Amino acid sequence: MKFFLDTANIEEIKTAKKWGLLSGLTTNPSIIAKTNTEFREIASELCELVNPFPVSLEVVARDTGGMVAQARILNQLADNVVIKLPTNPAGMAALTILKEEGIKTNLTLIFSASQAVLAASAGATYVSPFIGRLEDRGYDGLGMTRDLMSIFKNYNFDTEIIAASIRDPHQALDVCKAGAHIITMPFAVLEKMLLNTMTDTDLDRFLNDWEKVPGKENAFTERVG
Ligand code: E4P
């Protein structure tokens, strides 16, 4: 199980890294737009910060030729770039060309198991089913994740499933139970997974009791000699 962040916020990335909870990064045009920073500048900064882990950067052309041309340029930014392509006919054709060139891909905007199976069979490095957006619209995103896990096992695909568009810790845990290889989530969800008020109150109790321990002042002083 690997956790990716779905953000371009530098402070959030640094914090997750500090916690040892960053195995990769995903972005999309909406996430990049929020940074209000020149694209090449932010893209390079993200790749450097997250290195050696993968950073998904999305193409913004609608046709295969445009996607491939953009992908080649993005791929030169850093060694850890993964090209995000839409899972549609133009994206699949771009995937086929980029795979031949050894460029890693993340097939995104996946809303059905069939799209994920096709992208995996065509050799995508990652597939990203949008669990939260499916559930927002009343579909069974979790059931789809379970189906995908069993289909992927049947065929031994090398492609990794990134459960994406995760809304809360429950959804994150549900896709863990389903066995998704990777979860990408906003920093707020990662933080909610970690924080628990019972941990805080019970830590306070321990530390209050510590005050009663004889010799507490010398407990952590370095011994000389
Ligand atoms: C995944 O790669 C996408 O960037 C992301 O998970 C979309 O999430 P959203 O539905 O929160 O925008």
Side-chain angles (χ1 to χ4, degrees):
M1 159 58 48
K2 287 177 277 190
F3 292 106
F4 285 14
L5 273 190
D6 197 33
T7 185
N9 180 299
I10 301 297
E11 286 314 309
E12 292 178 350
I13 296 166
K14 283 185 179 166
T15 305
K17 214 173 144 176
K18 203 165 57 186
W19 293 343
L21 292 173
L22 187 76
S23 298
L25 191 77
T26 52
T27 67
N28 61 42
S30 309
I31 286 173
I32 294 289
K34 280 190 210 149
T35 68
N36 208 16
T37 307
E38 200 263 330
F39 175 72
R40 281 195 183 227
E41 192 188 314
I42 187 71
S44 303
E45 192 176 359
L46 294 174
C47 291
E48 200 179 317
L49 192 57
V50 177
N51 187 48
F53 299 114
V55 175
S56 288
L57 299 174
E58 191 157 340
V59 296
V60 290
R62 287 188 184 273
D63 63 297
T64 302
M67 288 179 193
V68 170
Q70 291 179 357
R72 287 177 182 144
I73 290 167
L74 290 177
N75 193 53
Q76 283 169 4
L77 284 178
D79 289 343
N80 53 340
V81 169
V82 174
I83 304 299
K84 244 181 165 185
L85 300 166
T87 310
N88 61 15
M92 290 296 290
L95 159 62
T96 307
I97 296 167
L98 296 174
K99 185 179 153 54
E100 282 297 306
E101 297 178 14
I103 294 179
K104 291 188 174 156
T105 52
N106 175 356
L107 273 282
T108 190
L109 290 164
I110 288 187
F111 291 99
S112 72
S114 57
Q115 286 177 305
V117 170
L118 294 180
S121 78
T125 317
Y126 302 99
V127 289
S128 292
F130 275 29
I131 309 306
R133 290 193 194 200
L134 272 167
E135 300 268 345
D136 291 348
R137 291 163 173 155
Y139 294 99
D140 183 10
L142 182 61
M144 195 186 97
T145 312
R146 286 196 204 101
D147 285 349
L148 276 181
M149 294 317 300
S150 74
I151 296 168
F152 273 47
K153 268 181 206 136
N154 287 346
Y155 296 102
N156 258 334
F157 287 133
D158 290 332
T159 307
E160 289 190 285
I161 297 173
I162 306 181
S165 178
I166 298 297
R167 299 280 178 256
D168 55 49
H170 294 292
Q171 225 169 51
L173 220 57
D174 281 342
V175 293
C176 282
K177 285 184 206 160
H181 305 115
I182 298 163
I183 303 181
T184 191
M185 62 182 110
F187 178 79
V189 177
L190 183 74
E191 195 177 39
K192 278 187 203 153
M193 286 179 77
L194 177 62
L195 298 180
N196 192 305
T197 52
M198 288 189 280
T199 303
D200 297 337
T201 52
D202 286 17
L203 176 63
D204 285 345
R205 284 184 196 158
F206 281 156
L207 295 187
N208 287 338
D209 285 343
W210 174 253
E211 292 305 314
K212 300 171 208 155
V213 172
K216 66 176 190 305
E217 304 79 9
N218 300 324
F220 304 107
T221 49
E222 296 274 357
R223 281 171 190 255
V224 184

